[in-house]
Amino acid sequence: MKKNILYAQSGGVTAVINASACGVVETARRWPDVFGGVFAARDGIAGVLDEALYDLAGETAQAIAGLRHRPGGAFGSCRLDLDPYATHRHEYERVLEVFAAHDIGHFLYNGGGGSMLTATRLAQAAADMGYPLDVIGIPKTIDNDLYDTDTSPGFGSAAKYVAVSTREAACDVASMQATSTKVFILEVMGRNAGWLAAAGGLAERDAGELPLVLLFAERAFDAERFAAAVRERVEHAGYCVVVASEGMRDGQGEYLSVRQKSTVRGWTRLGGVAAQLAELVRMRLGYRTHWAVSDYLQRAARHIASQTDVEQAYAVGRAAVELARQGRSGVMVTLRRLTDEPYGWETGATDLQAIADRERGVPDEFISADGFGITPLARRYLRPLITGEAYPPFRDGVPEYPALRHTLRARRLPQYTPRSGDYYGTVA
Amino acid sequence: MKKNILYAQSGGVTAVINASACGVVETARRWPDVFGGVFAARDGIAGVLDEALYDLAGETAQAIAGLRHRPGGAFGSCRLDLDPYATHRHEYERVLEVFAAHDIGHFLYNGGGGSMLTATRLAQAAADMGYPLDVIGIPKTIDNDLYDTDTSPGFGSAAKYVAVSTREAACDVASMQATSTKVFILEVMGRNAGWLAAAGGLAERDAGELPLVLLFAERAFDAERFAAAVRERVEHAGYCVVVASEGMRDGQGEYLSVRQKSTVRGWTRLGGVAAQLAELVRMRLGYRTHWAVSDYLQRAARHIASQTDVEQAYAVGRAAVELARQGRSGVMVTLRRLTDEPYGWETGATDLQAIADRERGVPDEFISADGFGITPLARRYLRPLITGEAYPPFRDGVPEYPALRHTLRARRLPQYTPRSGDYYGTVA
């Protein structure tokens, strides 16, 4: 009666997604009477369709423990959602065929809002088709935009990276401003949510300590007001540090920076806001500028991960297995805040359907009246999320990651061929 | 007979330049019979001309010790050299007037090659004018391009940042490559020297572990060969990570990163090397790309400083004071390598004039035959420089820097007015 567990990673990866994998595997191994094997899909749901499943039985306890320290997705992730069930029933049939072939009874899906939609659809398909399956979501996103959870693992570490980098860069610019660079601009991720720009505000311990300008995806960009804010900081402190969401839009709702547009899915790749802002500052104010785009570095920076975040990432993985043990399905693990200082939290669960494909932005009460800073309320919320350091082990100057065997299970099914119009067909 | 010490920071700052300041102050304080006060110029040589000198007597031992952990230039640096002595004698007269007014007998100048030229000229001017002055250079540059020293403090930490970031980003891209990004490009500093691109090679422990392409300032960029190298990595490993010197030039010697006019929103768009390479990869190979520009982050990242680098930065500051105690002048402190493994080193001294305004690039024997990687010899040289971690203290999730009083000495001279054509006049 024991069923196997399948764990999969989905969407953009984080510095701590593997800590969730670690929580899943270590917890499942504690219940050999309840669970069969623990497998991980190669490259997320793509690997499920492709019947590419790693059997983790051969991975040593040391290798699994090492997942706590390794950024990226150790089993591969994917930018792929299942198409809607109503129109693409064959995709769900394939997934459940694969599950049946490998006796999978628990599917733990580690991703963000879009991934939770796929998980919801899969749970519904399994119910429709009479396949006994627990589907449990494990939250993950550096964007912090998942509903019904205090935060999502991955965000705290990216936020810490942004706060620390901003603080360090401020030290640098402060020392150059007399004869050189007066404005430094850091572009951070966040397509529709400015949570990581907000994290730039944690570079200062108290409001006003540093001459910061934060640009939120939630606020329409106004070049005049931005230039005035930068000038005010430079005139007062000698320099200014700007932290800008990549997803900033102008008053017409157009992204300031569109680098690549996909004609297939209407999907847009952002990047380049920092360079544009630097040029604007130079042209309007005449200040020398420098700019940085942290891009993947901010979500891969396991070396400066938040201890809180690592612990929460592990905990949501563990909780997913505990929910599976209780026979729960159609839920996502959540984090519930009990207290602010000291930060007290516990795991919970919420209905997958209620949170799938929704986005939570930075609320108005977290953004200062001028739109360029964070409020004390925001500090109170954000600070515990970046607290504590959890350094990985190093060897020869760089982080050390124990090797995984990555043993694939033997295939039992014919190769999968996507149909014309399937999402999978466009990327595989 | 005791004379005061004046310490000044010059040029682009680093994660560890304040560790050198710490070495200077702590060592000078050990010799109260030899040295008078210890002062620091505000904003480097600009502060000398401006008679803006911090008196460090009031800084607590704890505040001075905290300099070890604080990035940027704690006393301000500057992008300013003195003009040539032959044509701008008045600048040197002003400097020596300021020195005389504050009884300065030892000038410790912490900078790179250009700063050492200023130091050389100043030593010559003092000798010509009969002003008794020890001028001692303290090496500093993330570019690692100073002559006659095994390395320069600042480089090891920037190199560690690049190596660690590249290793982490490789984990990220590896997990996305199946359905999304296949090529990640990191732009690093180094206008004429590719030492930081070389450091990207330390992301792998042994050659061939990761699908890297390093682009050196020392090699003319060839789009065909670059595209072929990237394709080869992607076809073999599924992905590729590129680390590119910002100072790359094409076969005609033109910088790739020239500013480009664009019609996007009427602003000029700065074409960084990373963005250009990403576009090239996308157009020629069709791979999805992501890119990052670390800019100031790489030289300010004290949180991931190399322990070796921090120790060397402190040691060169200490050695400068010891040289001053011996009455030496016209020399720069150097680092001498004694052994590779384990890394053994000691401080030395070299003639300022011999190394001023020269640049040392990555030698041919450090660059692999295809021009896109480093040799075992390069690894042997580079690895010890990034070895060891030296984390700063944290509070509330971000690094903690003890406050300095920054007490300026009372002025004793009239204000300085630069003459038309003076470098100082163009930036002050």
Side-chain angles (χ1 to χ4, degrees):
Chain A
M1 270 310 294
K2 288 195 300 183
K3 294 285 180 181
N4 298 321
I5 291 176
L6 180 63
Y7 167 80
Q9 302 179 321
S10 181
V13 290
T14 78
V16 301
I17 186 171
N18 294 326
S20 293
C22 181
V24 165
V25 181
E26 291 188 346
T27 309
R29 284 183 176 183
R30 255 180 251 128
W31 300 100
D33 297 342
V34 178
F35 301 110
V38 184
F39 311 148
R42 184 181 70 191
D43 305 322
I45 200 74
V48 178
L49 291 167
D50 196 31
E51 204 195 354
L53 310 182
Y54 296 118
D55 191 335
L56 306 187
E59 304 293 353
T60 64
Q62 190 195 6
I64 295 301
L67 288 171
R68 252 188 202 265
H69 309 296
R70 177 185 179 140
F75 307 109
S77 184
C78 71
R79 285 267 177 224
L80 174 67
D81 294 313
L82 292 182
D83 293 291
Y85 178 49
T87 52
H88 292 70
R89 189 180 159 96
H90 61 282
E91 290 181 9
Y92 298 82
E93 286 168 349
R94 168 66 179 188
V95 168
L96 296 179
E97 261 173 32
V98 171
F99 283 7
H102 296 272
D103 204 22
I104 287 158
H106 317 278
F107 181 57
L108 311 189
Y109 204 39
N110 202 170
S115 309
M116 294 308 145
L117 181 60
T118 287
T120 305
R121 290 167 171 170
L122 189 54
Q124 191 205 327
D128 275 7
M129 298 180 192
Y131 183 92
L133 182 72
D134 302 336
V135 176
I136 295 167
I138 304 174
K140 169 246 56 164
T141 170
I142 65 158
D143 290 335
N144 203 36
D145 58 359
L146 275 167
Y147 264 80
D148 239 12
T149 181
D150 187 51
T151 185
S152 297
F155 171 69
S157 294
K160 187 182 186 82
Y161 173 95
V162 170
V164 170
S165 298
T166 302
R167 188 167 174 84
E168 291 178 332
C171 286
D172 191 308
V173 189
S175 48
M176 303 309 294
Q177 52 83 18
T179 58
S180 179
T181 304
K182 291 194 186 340
V183 180
F184 176 75
I185 298 158
L186 174 61
E187 176 175 330
V188 300
M189 284 181 159
R191 181 162 300 229
N192 299 312
W195 286 108
L196 285 173
L202 298 180
E204 58 184 7
R205 208 173 299 288
D206 300 298
E209 182 193 346
L210 295 174
L212 302 175
V213 169
L214 311 181
L215 295 175
F216 296 92
E218 288 80 3
R219 293 285 180 271
F221 180 73
D222 178 325
E224 291 292 342
R225 294 192 59 251
F226 168 69
V230 170
R231 183 170 46 226
E232 189 273 328
R233 268 71 166 177
V234 172
E235 285 175 358
H236 181 260
Y239 71 103
C240 177
V241 177
V242 179
V243 183
S245 300
E246 64 178 1
M248 268 194 317
R249 306 175 203 224
D250 61 20
Q252 282 70 52
E254 290 290 312
Y255 283 119
L256 281 195
S257 167
V258 175
R259 292 205 61 79
Q260 287 172 240
K261 247 187 177 144
S262 164
T263 48
V264 182
R265 294 257 152 193
W267 158 94
T268 299
R269 177 158 291 182
L270 304 177
V273 162
Q276 289 200 31
L277 294 172
E279 193 57 14
L280 188 151
V281 167
R282 197 180 69 82
M283 297 291 284
R284 294 209 181 203
L285 304 173
Y287 299 141
R288 289 198 201 172
T289 61
H290 259 258
W291 55 267
V293 179
S294 45
D295 195 67
Y296 279 2
L297 303 191
Q298 76 203 281
R299 72 182 206 192
R302 179 61 187 81
H303 74 271
I304 191 62
S306 149
Q307 192 181 354
T308 303
D309 193 34
V310 173
E311 287 171 7
Q312 291 185 329
Y314 186 90
V316 296
R318 183 183 56 208
V321 174
E322 283 161 1
L323 288 169
R325 202 175 133 246
Q326 296 161 23
R328 296 285 297 275
S329 183
V331 293
M332 183 187 79
V333 180
T334 61
L335 292 161
R336 287 192 201 132
R337 180 175 300 224
L338 305 175
T339 52
D340 280 323
E341 289 182 42
Y343 183 38
W345 55 273
E346 63 181 15
T347 56
T350 190
D351 190 34
L352 260 180
Q353 206 144 13
I355 56 103
D357 215 26
R358 291 182 67 185
E359 287 182 336
R360 176 185 70 159
V362 181
D364 286 346
E365 62 267 29
F366 278 15
I367 302 177
S368 60
D370 69 357
F372 298 126
I374 54 174
T375 61
L377 202 63
R379 272 176 218 286
R380 199 173 162 81
Y381 165 72
L382 288 167
R383 187 164 287 157
L385 306 183
I386 71 162
T387 298
E389 294 68 53
Y391 303 115
F394 276 72
R395 189 156 68 90
D396 293 338
V398 291
E400 174 80 342
Y401 311 127
L404 292 165
R405 290 189 189 166
H406 279 134
T407 311
L408 283 171
R409 285 176 62 80
R411 288 175 197 276
R412 295 169 187 195
L413 298 172
Q415 203 185 325
Y416 178 65
T417 310
R419 297 188 191 167
S420 166
D422 286 4
Y423 196 162
Y424 182 66
T426 65
V427 294
Chain B
M1 273 306 294
K2 287 195 301 185
K3 294 286 180 181
N4 298 322
I5 291 176
L6 179 64
Y7 167 80
Q9 303 180 319
S10 182
V13 291
T14 77
V16 301
I17 187 171
N18 295 326
S20 293
C22 181
V24 165
V25 181
E26 291 188 346
T27 308
R29 285 184 175 183
R30 252 181 253 130
W31 299 100
D33 298 341
V34 178
F35 302 109
V38 184
F39 310 148
R42 183 181 71 189
D43 305 323
I45 200 75
V48 178
L49 291 166
D50 196 31
E51 203 193 354
L53 310 181
Y54 296 119
D55 191 334
L56 306 188
E59 305 291 356
T60 64
Q62 191 194 5
I64 296 301
L67 289 171
R68 254 187 200 265
H69 308 296
R70 178 187 178 138
F75 306 110
S77 184
C78 72
R79 285 266 177 225
L80 173 67
D81 293 314
L82 293 182
D83 292 293
Y85 178 50
T87 52
H88 292 70
R89 189 180 161 98
H90 62 282
E91 290 181 8
Y92 297 83
E93 286 169 348
R94 166 68 179 186
V95 168
L96 297 177
E97 261 173 33
V98 171
F99 284 7
H102 297 273
D103 204 23
I104 287 159
H106 316 278
F107 181 56
L108 311 188
Y109 203 38
N110 201 169
S115 309
M116 294 307 145
L117 181 60
T118 287
T120 304
R121 290 167 171 171
L122 188 55
Q124 193 205 327
D128 275 9
M129 298 178 191
Y131 183 91
L133 182 72
D134 302 335
V135 176
I136 295 167
I138 303 174
K140 169 247 55 164
T141 170
I142 65 158
D143 290 336
N144 203 37
D145 57 359
L146 275 167
Y147 264 80
D148 239 12
T149 181
D150 188 50
T151 184
S152 297
F155 171 69
S157 294
K160 187 183 186 82
Y161 173 94
V162 171
V164 170
S165 297
T166 302
R167 188 169 174 83
E168 292 178 332
C171 287
D172 191 309
V173 189
S175 47
M176 302 308 295
Q177 52 83 21
T179 58
S180 180
T181 304
K182 289 190 181 355
V183 179
F184 176 75
I185 298 158
L186 174 62
E187 177 175 331
V188 299
M189 285 182 157
R191 192 130 289 254
N192 300 311
W195 286 109
L196 285 173
L202 298 181
E204 57 183 9
R205 210 174 297 287
D206 300 299
E209 182 192 344
L210 295 174
L212 301 175
V213 169
L214 311 180
L215 294 175
F216 297 92
E218 288 80 1
R219 293 285 181 273
F221 180 71
D222 179 325
E224 291 291 343
R225 292 191 61 250
F226 168 68
V230 170
R231 182 169 46 224
E232 189 273 327
R233 268 71 164 176
V234 173
E235 286 176 356
H236 180 259
Y239 71 103
C240 177
V241 176
V242 179
V243 183
S245 301
E246 63 179 1
M248 267 195 318
R249 304 176 205 219
D250 62 19
Q252 281 71 52
E254 292 291 316
Y255 284 118
L256 286 193
S257 60
V258 288
R259 297 174 177 207
Q260 287 181 325
K261 261 286 193 216
S262 155
T263 52
V264 180
R265 273 160 223 286
W267 299 343
T268 305
R269 175 169 256 167
L270 287 186
V273 163
Q276 289 202 29
L277 294 172
E279 192 60 12
L280 189 152
V281 166
R282 197 179 69 82
M283 297 293 284
R284 293 211 181 202
L285 304 173
Y287 300 140
R288 289 198 201 174
T289 60
H290 259 257
W291 54 267
V293 179
S294 45
D295 195 67
Y296 279 3
L297 303 191
Q298 74 203 282
R299 71 183 206 191
R302 179 62 186 82
H303 74 271
I304 191 63
S306 148
Q307 190 181 354
T308 302
D309 193 34
V310 174
E311 287 172 6
Q312 291 185 329
Y314 186 90
V316 295
R318 181 182 59 207
V321 175
E322 284 163 359
L323 288 169
R325 201 173 135 249
Q326 297 161 25
R328 297 284 298 276
S329 183
V331 293
M332 182 188 79
V333 179
T334 60
L335 293 161
R336 287 192 200 132
R337 181 175 299 224
L338 306 174
T339 51
D340 280 323
E341 287 180 45
Y343 183 39
W345 56 272
E346 63 182 14
T347 56
T350 190
D351 190 34
L352 260 181
Q353 207 146 12
I355 55 102
D357 215 25
R358 291 182 66 186
E359 287 182 337
R360 176 185 70 158
V362 181
D364 286 346
E365 61 267 30
F366 279 14
I367 302 177
S368 59
D370 69 358
F372 297 126
I374 55 173
T375 61
L377 202 63
R379 272 176 217 286
R380 199 175 164 82
Y381 165 72
L382 289 167
R383 187 164 287 156
L385 306 182
I386 71 162
T387 298
E389 294 68 54
Y391 303 115
F394 277 72
R395 188 156 69 89
D396 293 338
V398 293
E400 174 79 343
Y401 312 127
L404 293 165
R405 290 189 190 167
H406 279 135
T407 311
L408 282 171
R409 283 174 65 79
R411 291 175 195 276
R412 295 167 187 196
L413 297 173
Q415 204 185 322
Y416 179 65
T417 310
R419 297 187 191 168
S420 165
D422 286 4
Y423 194 164
Y424 182 64
T426 65
V427 294

